Amino acid sequence: MSQRSIAIFDFDGTLVQGDSLLPFLEFLVGRTRARLALLHAVRTAVTRFAAEPHRRGDVRTAVKAGLLQRTVAGVPAARLDEAAERLAGWVRWHPPMLEALKAHAGKGHRVVVATGALTAYMPRLLRGLPVDDLLATGLETLDGVLTGGMDRHGNCVREEKARRVTAYMAAHGPFAESWGYGNRPSDLPFLALMRHPTVVKTVKRGGQPAVEAAASG
């Protein structure tokens, strides 16, 4: 029998302070290589979109794709676990959201984390938490080696995240009540699907976390 209520949480900037991708890549391939790759990825994506203003797509996803291609291509998939373990020490939780997640679980609600972060490390970061399922961004591998691309599902952000959340709820529901927690603007598409959406002001490491009241509907 399906749980009648569901709570879906974004990860970066919502459950935790900051963004986890660059720190993970720094642990995987080194700080200098990861940061130079980010610089080149940003420059390339911005140049392409500026030259083709009607180009379809998401510049942030283009940056992410370029960053991954420049860092993880050719890396053995076996190395991911070690970097994920190191990343666990980087995490700084956002206490109000962590408590909200535990409260939903305590009430018997199905708890899902839906994030653009990578499946390469998210299970390690969520270890020990009452999370039923994870929707995240997978990395493509070939013969045990990373190709540098995302898997066939693509980047689990914005409209793609909303699509996956819709499919998940259809497969596991129906749900009489739904709660969503995420930051603006990237999570607004999936939050629009929730009966009780909460917009969390993006939580940067070292900053003061805050939660905005959001209209439910």
Side-chain angles (χ1 to χ4, degrees), residues 52-74:
E52 304 174 46
H54 300 296
R55 181 188 182 94
R56 296 185 63 183
D58 169 9
V59 67
R60 289 179 177 270
T61 291
V63 169
K64 185 173 182 177
L67 173 60
L68 290 172
Q69 187 63 48
R70 289 174 170 83
T71 51
V72 305

Side-chain angles (χ1 to χ4, degrees), residues 9-30:
F9 291 80
D10 173 50
F11 186 73
D12 291 321
T14 298
L15 275 171
V16 298
Q17 301 179 35
D19 188 283
S20 57
L21 179 59
L22 186 60
F24 172 73
L25 294 176
E26 290 177 354
F27 288 132
L28 185 67
V29 301

